[in-house]
Amino acid sequence: NGYKKTWDTFGVVRGSQFPDEIVIIGGHRDAWGPGTADNVSGTVSVLEAAQAIAEEVRAGRPPKRTIIFATWDAEEWGLLGSTEFVEEDTTRLMKSAVAYLNQDDVAQGPNFSGGGSPSLRALLRDIAKDIPDPSREGSVYEVWRKRAHLAADTAEPSMGDPGGGSDFAGFYNHLGIPIAEWGFGGAGG
């Protein structure tokens, strides 16, 4: 049989103040190889984010905006899961999507990096300032700066521009929705 069914999965938490504004956090479940880094790490990241938000909701602190947690199928086969979602929900996404946060290959080493739309870079840097680095040598941001060998206090670690080849493509390249992605990289294997 030349056809296979694919499945995207979703969890939705409705926003308390801006329910019609949507933030999507997603990662693909399929992999070419053993897949621990690419992309079990991204899937776990999406699930951990969902769990953290669920705890906040139970504590009476729901998010202001609606959050969609997504795991995509068939990313390795041409971004099929996320692309189908974007194509089927274009009108709502163009009207309401605030950002797409991509979780792809987020844990493969000790070196933090991030990238995405220029409009989200300052936010990503600010968040990295508040997260302790696993090395225990300071915040993620401080270690990121050290590893980038930045001398000037005003210099920022470099951040990559969105390209293609991951699930943000439909959101960013076709609909212009701002995206961000981040993770810890290093030598493969």
Side-chain angles (χ1 to χ4, degrees):
N1 185 348
Y3 294 95
K4 303 287 181 200
K5 285 192 176 197
T6 61
W7 304 94
D8 293 336
T9 61
F10 304 98
V12 179
V13 177
R14 188 164 171 79
S16 61
Q17 293 182 19
F18 309 105
D20 294 333
E21 294 182 13
I22 302 168
V23 174
I24 304 111
I25 179 169
H28 68 93
R29 294 184 321 275
D30 61 323
W32 285 125
T36 302
D38 186 7
N39 194 35
V40 170
S41 66
T43 301
V44 168
S45 181
V46 172
L47 296 174
E48 286 292 322
Q51 182 175 339
I53 295 297
E55 289 173 11
E56 291 296 307
V57 169
R58 283 191 289 274
R61 296 181 297 269
K64 291 180 181 179
R65 293 183 170 115
T66 295
I67 302 175
I68 297 175
F69 299 94
T71 65
W72 311 115
D73 203 352
E75 187 261 7
E76 302 291 6
W77 293 95
L79 312 177
L80 297 179
S82 58
T83 299
E84 288 298 318
F85 175 77
V86 168
E87 289 176 351
E88 289 179 15
D89 212 1
T90 295
T91 302
R92 179 176 72 132
L93 292 171
M94 288 185 68
K95 178 182 173 215
S96 301
V98 174
Y100 175 73
L101 308 176
N102 195 49
Q103 298 295 281
D104 190 356
D105 200 0
V106 300
Q108 184 163 285
N111 304 313
F112 181 81
S113 66
S117 304
S119 62
L120 294 179
R121 290 180 184 177
L123 175 65
L124 186 55
R125 287 185 187 110
D126 287 346
I127 292 168
K129 291 174 183 175
D130 290 334
I131 308 295
D133 191 79
S135 70
R136 298 186 177 154
E137 297 175 14
S139 71
V140 166
Y141 179 79
E142 291 166 338
V143 174
W144 187 17
R145 284 185 50 84
K146 286 179 202 169
R147 289 188 175 140
H149 305 290
L150 298 176
D153 288 342
T154 58
E156 295 286 2
S158 99
M159 297 180 86
D161 293 322
S166 193
D167 289 303
F168 66 79
F171 297 92
Y172 185 72
N173 298 342
H174 297 288
L175 300 183
I177 296 167
I179 68 104
E181 56 184 348
W182 60 90
F184 289 84

